């Protein structure tokens, strides 16, 4: 039986496909002002198809090698190249996704598929083996011993005494780790499109910017203003943020001077009167308490009458 291979494309056909890709790339860049650059490592064709379906009606997905994307940018006009030259600097096995940045970001990140840890791969996450019964036969204890995992035999099965960190971020998966995870049915890795950069009307920034909310931005501005004010107060160089604090501190200093000397001014006179005769302060606060008590006592009969009316359903 003769097995037929795939038809080999001619040089002219390959060149035509490249030209079509470049034209499609330029059209998409002209169409969208906002582009998400994503890394596509260890993403299978079925998973990519699911992502395309989820993005349908919201964004377009165009995959391409970094060399092809750079070549496409070089074919642009001078004005276009200036406008989009930031894309060439960030191109690294990337795809481009259009508008609705936050919604598209959530869809892209949600489409991840669990994958087993293969020997020789680099762990992108920490892998922890949980404590508990594994359901494995006692003959499998050698795998746990090789990895220094404490176990015991319970009702004819292997039980892990306490959780064990099997892999750290950046560790290389060995044969023993891969075999153990496969036996336990654990798929520790998740692969999908990873957000690399955001292109927005000529500016390129980190995807973390999409997580910023109005409340968080307001808090960051407040913190920045407080820091500017603190620098101005500490160095003695006034600025718009530190002037209110300087005025308040100066007023407190003037009050302290007026309280300890014969010097006085309009705003300090009331404070000096209280310091000379503290009983005036007690007298000034007493009527407030009495008034509050009187109001509470006067409202009690009204509430009792209302309760009586409610008891008869408002018939009388």
């Amino acid at each position: 039986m003769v097995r037929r291979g795939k038809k080999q494309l001619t040089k002219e056909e390959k060149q035509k496909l490249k030209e079509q890709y470049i034209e499609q790339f330029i059209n998409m860049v002209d169409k969208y002002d906002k582009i998400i650059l994503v890394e596509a490592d260890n993403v299978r064709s079925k998973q990519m198809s699911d992502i395309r379906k989820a993005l349908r009606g919201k964004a377009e997905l165009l995959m391409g090698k970094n060399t092809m994307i750079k070549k496409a940018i070089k074919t642009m006009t001078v004005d276009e190249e200036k406008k989009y030259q930031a894309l060439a600097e960030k191109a690294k096995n990337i795809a481009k996704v259009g508008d609705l940045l936050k919604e598209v970001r959530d869809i892209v990140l949600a489409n991840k598929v669990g994958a087993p840890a293969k020997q020789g791969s680099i762990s992108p996450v920490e892998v922890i083996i949980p404590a508990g019964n594994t359901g494995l036969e006692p003959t499998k204890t050698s795998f746990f011993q090789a990895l220094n995992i404490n176990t015991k035999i319970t009702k004819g099965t292997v039980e892990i005494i306490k959780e064990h960190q099997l892999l750290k971020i950046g560790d290389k998966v060995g044969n023993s780790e891969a075999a153990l995870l496969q036996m336990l049915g654990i798929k520790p890795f998740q692969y999908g499109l990873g957000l690399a950069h955001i292109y927005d009307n000529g500016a390129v920034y980190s995807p973390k910017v999409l997580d910023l909310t109005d409340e968080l931005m307001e808090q960051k501005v407040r913190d920045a203003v407080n820091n500017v004010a603190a620098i101005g107060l500490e160095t003695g160089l006034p600025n718009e943020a530190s002037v209110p604090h300087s005025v308040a501190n100066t007023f407190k200093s003037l009050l302290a001077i007026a309280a300890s000397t014969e010097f006085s001014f309009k705003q300090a006179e009331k404070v000096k009167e209280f310091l000379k005769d503290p009983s005036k302060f007690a007298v000034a606060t007493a009527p407030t308490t009495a008034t509050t008590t009187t109001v509470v006592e006067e409202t009690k009969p009204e509430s009792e009458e209302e309760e009586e009316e409610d008891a008869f359903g408002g018939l009388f």
Side-chain angles (χ1 to χ4, degrees):
M1 182 177 179
V2 179
R3 187 175 182 180
R4 296 181 179 179
K6 292 183 179 180
K7 181 182 177 182
Q8 295 292 333
L9 296 177
T10 63
K11 187 176 181 180
E12 290 76 14
E13 290 175 335
K14 290 181 180 179
Q15 183 63 29
K16 188 176 181 180
L17 289 176
K18 290 180 180 179
E19 291 175 356
Q20 291 176 353
Y21 177 84
I22 291 173
E23 183 180 357
Q24 186 181 6
F25 176 91
I26 295 175
N27 290 336
M28 288 187 66
V29 169
D30 289 336
K31 181 179 179 181
Y32 295 107
D33 292 328
K34 297 178 176 62
I35 298 173
I36 300 179
L37 304 176
V38 295
E39 296 178 349
D41 296 325
N42 299 310
V43 181
R44 298 182 179 181
S45 58
K46 175 64 169 62
Q47 185 179 356
M48 189 65 68
S49 176
D50 293 338
I51 295 174
R52 288 183 187 275
K53 291 179 182 178
L55 292 174
R56 193 169 296 167
K58 300 179 179 65
E60 294 183 69
L61 181 65
L62 177 64
M63 294 299 302
K65 295 181 179 179
N66 57 340
T67 53
M68 281 296 298
I69 294 176
K70 289 180 180 180
K71 185 176 181 180
I73 293 174
K74 288 180 180 180
T75 60
M76 294 179 178
T77 63
V78 176
D79 293 337
E80 288 175 327
E81 189 172 359
K82 288 181 179 179
K83 186 177 180 181
Y84 303 113
Q85 61 183 351
L87 293 175
E89 298 174 1
K90 303 297 183 182
K92 177 190 175 185
N93 191 23
I94 60 176
K96 304 187 303 306
V97 185
D99 282 333
L100 306 173
L101 291 179
K102 286 189 177 181
E103 186 177 357
V104 170
R105 184 271 313 268
D106 295 339
I107 292 174
V108 168
L109 295 181
N111 281 275
K112 292 185 179 294
V113 176
K118 295 182 179 180
Q119 182 181 357
S121 60
I122 303 300
S123 176
V125 295
E126 290 185 352
V127 179
I128 297 178
I129 304 297
N133 197 304
T134 62
L136 298 176
E137 299 177 354
T139 55
K140 303 295 184 180
T141 54
S142 58
F143 288 94
F144 296 95
Q145 293 174 356
L147 297 170
N148 296 322
I149 300 176
N150 296 325
T151 59
K152 64 179 181 180
I153 305 301
T154 304
K155 296 181 180 180
T157 57
V158 179
E159 181 179 347
I160 299 175
I161 298 175
K162 63 178 182 178
E163 66 177 26
H164 178 80
Q165 185 178 31
L166 188 65
L167 294 170
K168 297 179 181 178
I169 297 176
D171 286 352
K172 190 174 183 179
V173 180
N175 184 33
S176 299
E177 290 86 353
L180 178 61
L181 290 171
Q182 185 177 1
M183 284 191 299
L184 295 175
I186 298 176
K187 296 182 177 180
F189 302 158
Q190 285 190 332
Y191 294 118
L193 296 181
L195 274 63
H197 305 280
I198 306 293
Y199 172 84
D200 189 355
N201 292 301
V204 178
Y205 51 82
S206 170
K208 294 181 180 179
V209 175
L210 297 179
D211 296 326
L212 295 177
T213 60
D214 293 340
E215 293 77 11
L216 184 59
M217 289 296 295
E218 182 180 352
Q219 185 60 44
K220 286 184 176 294
V221 171
R222 287 182 180 179
D223 293 341
V225 171
N226 290 336
N227 291 335
V228 172
I231 293 173
L233 294 173
E234 186 67 23
T235 59
L237 300 175
N239 52 59
E240 292 185 8
S242 66
V243 166
H245 298 279
S246 299
V247 172
N249 292 336
T250 303
F251 180 71
K252 291 177 183 178
S253 300
L254 291 174
L255 282 180
I257 294 172
S260 58
T261 63
E262 297 298 327
F263 170 76
S264 182
F265 53 95
K266 183 179 179 180
Q267 289 80 2
E269 291 177 359
K270 193 172 183 179
V271 175
K272 296 187 75 170
E273 288 180 6
F274 281 140
L275 291 175
K276 288 180 179 179
D277 188 4
S279 61
K280 290 184 178 181
F281 181 74
V283 173
T285 56
T288 304
T289 307
T291 303
T292 305
T293 305
T294 304
V295 171
V296 173
E297 291 177 352
E298 288 176 356
T299 56
K300 284 183 179 180
E302 294 179 2
S303 61
E304 291 175 359
E305 291 177 1
E306 291 176 359
E307 290 178 358
E308 292 176 358
E309 292 179 357
D310 294 338
F312 291 94
L315 295 175
F316 300 94

